[in-house]
Amino acid sequence: MFQNFDDDSSTNLVAPRVKALRASLGKLKLDGLIVPREDEYQGEYVPAANERLKYISGFGGSAGMAIIMARKAALFVDGRYILQAPKQTDTKLFAIFDIMQTAPSQWLAATVKKGMEIGLDPRLHSETAVKAYRDRLAAKGARLVLLDENPLDANWHDRPELPDTPVVIQPTRFAGRTSEQKRKALAAEMKQAGHDFLLIAQPENIAWLLNIRAADVPHTPFALSFGLLNKNGSFDWFIRKGRVDAKVRAHIGSGLRLHRQSDMLAKLRALKGKTVAFDPSNTPAWFAEHMPNVNLERVTDPCALPKAAKHKAEIKASIAAHEMDGAALCNFLAWFDKNAGKGKLTEICAA
């Protein structure tokens, strides 16, 4: 089954995990920690290894955030999960809020006291989000602390392995343009803007730019990775080399260089004096924090517009996909019409 409806959360594990985290925060002299649903790649769907919010709160929805303080804890979810969240977390520990009515930063500002220090993992939050938290806390006389290591991760002893699925080709007949063509077009815009590099932190942009796919997370076929596009059109891709075979490398074309993700920090520091563009709304704050000697240019995602402007080949493929989906839906409705009257179907069974 493509979608799994099993609930593997356990409210019994929440209390000891929160207790351990609070002990770690005490050793770090922190008064709280912000735990988002998003991971380093800022996506809605995350692999099991990055389900930090679920680990600490038990809540397994696709959107949410928690803030754990020494004596208080809050879980923020949207309207879809107002009924689900209380069933999955320990409501003696976590107060649950509708995020549309009470924003996490709003609750935090009302909770902190002057002199408090709140921790945040800059790998998990965009620069825009970090600024919002920092400003809110500063107004209350408190301070946001960007952490080198996440104390939650240090306590997660049975953490699953990160996904390592093979990268596969998205054929040019579906993409419409080769990766080299896309990279050269973006590189021309970079030169005109005076940018030496473009930092790409969203895996969906890399999937589009390189015409590749993978299966690292549910529902979104991309490879969790980062990249740097050079103004000459070459691309430094931070992903395990074994995931990208010779056929895929040939498909991507010339100018591709593969690196381990652990080598990215050294690469960023080697860009001293260069101009690096990035979108602060979808790039983790960690990157800017580790490029102090780089000329940083904050821009609107340069991949967004060309990715949205569909090539005729993409439109043709989209129409074909809709036709296939339509036929599948007709088959389902025919089956449903035949079986629903028996009174034995449930929503999950039908799905």
Side-chain angles (χ1 to χ4, degrees):
M1 182 184 291
F2 177 68
Q3 189 168 0
N4 184 357
F5 295 93
D6 295 335
D7 182 4
D8 58 356
S9 61
S10 174
T11 58
N12 295 331
L13 296 175
V14 174
R17 288 174 177 176
V18 170
K19 182 179 179 180
L21 179 60
R22 282 174 169 162
S24 297
L25 295 179
K27 292 177 182 177
L28 295 170
K29 300 188 184 307
L30 293 173
D31 298 289
L33 179 71
I34 302 170
V35 182
R37 156 72 180 177
E38 293 83 8
D39 63 3
E40 295 87 332
Y41 308 96
Q42 305 292 293
E44 179 179 4
Y45 297 105
V46 301
N50 290 343
E51 289 266 18
R52 295 177 176 88
L53 181 61
K54 185 176 181 180
Y55 169 81
I56 198 62
S57 71
F59 172 66
S62 64
M65 180 172 291
I67 302 177
I68 294 93
M69 308 282 287
R71 299 184 183 280
K72 292 183 179 181
L75 176 63
F76 303 88
V77 300
D78 64 39
R80 296 172 295 171
Y81 300 117
I82 289 297
L83 297 179
Q84 176 181 332
K87 295 178 180 178
Q88 292 186 321
T89 194
D90 185 338
T91 53
K92 294 179 181 178
L93 288 172
F94 283 93
I96 299 172
F97 296 91
D98 185 331
I99 201 167
M100 299 304 293
Q101 297 179 11
T102 305
S105 59
Q106 177 186 351
W107 180 90
L108 188 59
T111 303
V112 297
K113 293 179 173 56
K114 185 176 181 179
M116 281 189 169
E117 297 192 342
I118 306 300
L120 176 149
D121 185 341
R123 297 172 181 81
L124 312 182
H125 300 261
S126 70
E127 187 181 66
T128 301
V130 167
K131 184 180 184 303
Y133 280 116
R134 182 177 278 140
D135 291 347
R136 280 274 194 166
L137 290 171
K140 300 288 290 194
R143 190 169 76 94
L144 186 70
V145 179
L146 302 189
L147 303 172
D148 293 328
E149 301 292 339
N150 193 320
L152 187 152
D153 292 354
N155 292 335
W156 193 353
H157 302 300
D158 59 347
R159 186 178 178 185
E161 294 291 326
L162 284 165
D164 199 39
T165 63
V167 173
V168 298
I169 290 170
Q170 174 73 349
T172 305
R173 69 177 186 275
F174 295 144
R177 291 179 295 164
T178 67
S179 172
E180 289 186 59
Q181 290 172 326
K182 292 178 180 180
R183 286 184 276 130
K184 286 180 180 178
L186 278 182
E189 294 180 6
M190 291 169 58
K191 286 182 181 178
Q192 187 174 6
H195 300 155
D196 297 307
F197 292 91
L198 172 64
L199 172 61
I200 302 180
Q202 288 190 294
E204 57 266 39
N205 282 349
I206 293 176
W208 169 79
L209 184 63
L210 302 184
N211 290 338
I212 56 91
R213 300 291 187 265
D216 285 1
V217 294
H219 314 297
T220 42
F222 51 58
L224 297 177
S225 54
F226 300 113
L228 278 170
L229 178 64
N230 192 298
K231 65 181 179 182
N232 64 14
S234 63
F235 191 74
D236 291 284
W237 192 11
F238 296 85
I239 187 171
R240 191 176 67 79
K241 293 181 181 181
R243 299 181 63 185
V244 188
D245 65 22
K247 186 176 180 180
V248 174
R249 296 182 200 187
H251 164 75
I252 295 171
S254 63
L256 177 69
R257 293 179 292 271
L258 301 178
H259 310 269
R260 296 175 299 180
Q261 283 206 15
S262 58
D263 293 335
M264 187 151 200
L265 182 57
K267 178 66 176 179
L268 294 177
R269 288 175 173 167
L271 300 179
K272 182 179 180 180
K274 300 294 184 180
T275 298
V276 179
F278 71 99
D279 187 337
S281 68
N282 58 33
T283 302
W286 179 88
F287 287 98
E289 291 293 321
H290 287 83
M291 291 189 285
N293 299 313
V294 171
N295 179 26
L296 298 175
E297 287 286 337
R298 292 159 176 83
V299 300
T300 300
D301 182 3
C303 296
L305 185 57
K307 189 170 63 173
K310 300 303 181 186
H311 188 276
K312 61 183 180 181
E314 293 176 299
I315 295 173
K316 181 180 178 181
S318 181
I319 291 172
H322 276 77
E323 290 174 347
M324 293 170 63
D325 286 347
L329 179 60
C330 288
N331 286 334
F332 168 76
L333 292 175
W335 172 86
F336 185 79
D337 186 56
K338 181 179 179 180
N339 292 278
K342 299 176 183 179
K344 296 182 179 181
L345 288 182
T346 65
E347 181 181 359
I348 291 178
C349 177

